[in-house]
Amino acid sequence: MSDDDIDWPEYLAKFHRDRAGIVESVLSRAVGGDHTPYRWLARAVGGPATTVLDLACGSGPMSRQLAGPGRTVIGLDISAAELQLAAERGPGPWLRADGLRLPFRDGSIDAVTSSIGLVVITPLDALMAEIVRVLRPGGVLAAIAPAIRPLSPTDLRVLARINARLRAKPQFPGPVELAGFKKTLKAYDLRRVEDARERYRFTVASRADAELVMSALYLPQTRWSRVESAIELLQDRVERKGSVDITIPMRRVVAIK
Ligand SMILES: C[S@@+](CC[C@H](N)C(=O)[O-])C[C@H]1O[C@@H](n2cnc3c(N)ncnc32)[C@H](O)[C@@H]1O
């Protein structure tokens, strides 16, 4: 199957119905310095933002990170299962909608955040047009996406072994690590004020951890037996060494309308 043959809307709908909350389960345990990727993203949003839209909110981790006095954080996602979990964990408001058709008036949002949404909702151009439409002048877009660097030689060795077992790399429907995003921002008259990368570490210390992290990857072209093989590789390393760290590099882009 070529990449073009993947039915992403169907794959994503099933993935997030069957595994609601799994992305949060992994990223809330991914640590870099004193923080998680969610905390890093939340730090990009300043105090004056009183109406914040968290796009592709999943089970709602960003709403909890962004909550503050006088601020409304609207979590929007297309998956009913993710939103149900979000509603069990936080007050919302939660909105089920397609990111390509945002149910908001022009210029009504102070800040849009998205953890991984910009590499999942496609086409990116149409998504950007919607984000720019709903942001007020001076409003902020802050997004994080999985990246391919920075990685140390040790990180690369671990990931290469996992990918060899999977016989594949995790995939996203959108551009790998938001490639070409500088041009996209320019095309939509957004001023880039930050473009940074950080490494996060997820520690696998048990078979359950190995199952969790491997099950959180988008692998639309990979048989489950390959995933099991990668889980066994990690379990074997845990038995020999006590634990194994998987590095998750992230890119954060912040722009102003
Ligand atoms: C990788 S998950 C990220 C979830 C959450 N932001 C996090 O980081 O934990 C991607 C999310 O995008 C949502 N999604 C996919 N297509 C969408 C669309 N067209 N509109 C809105 N949400 C969408 C999925 O349901 C899923 O919750």
Side-chain angles (χ1 to χ4, degrees), residues 43-177:
R43 283 178 183 163
V45 179
T50 54
T51 307
V52 180
L53 167 64
D54 183 42
L55 192 54
C57 66
S59 49
M62 283 308 300
S63 291
R64 297 190 294 283
Q65 288 287 341
L66 288 160
R71 176 181 280 170
T72 302
V73 185
I74 305 158
L76 180 145
D77 202 282
I78 205 165
S79 163
E82 293 283 8
L83 289 170
Q84 189 181 329
L85 211 50
E88 286 164 17
R89 294 175 178 179
W94 308 109
L95 206 54
R96 187 170 185 209
D98 187 339
L100 297 177
R101 282 182 291 275
L102 296 175
F104 304 107
R105 287 194 320 275
D106 297 2
S108 57
I109 304 286
D110 296 318
V112 173
T113 58
S114 194
S115 163
I116 320 193
L118 269 54
V119 290
V120 168
I121 304 174
T122 55
L124 179 58
D125 275 350
L127 178 64
M128 289 302 293
E130 272 300 80
I131 291 172
V132 170
R133 181 183 68 73
V134 302
L135 269 180
R136 68 162 167 79
V140 173
L141 166 64
I144 54 172
I148 47 181
R149 63 187 167 82
L151 286 169
S152 71
T154 308
D155 300 336
L156 281 167
R157 267 196 301 279
V158 173
L159 293 178
R161 285 193 188 117
I162 292 171
N163 290 343
R165 290 292 182 103
L166 295 171
R167 295 196 194 140
K169 284 183 188 170
Q171 282 178 273
F172 292 93
V176 174
E177 68 159 17

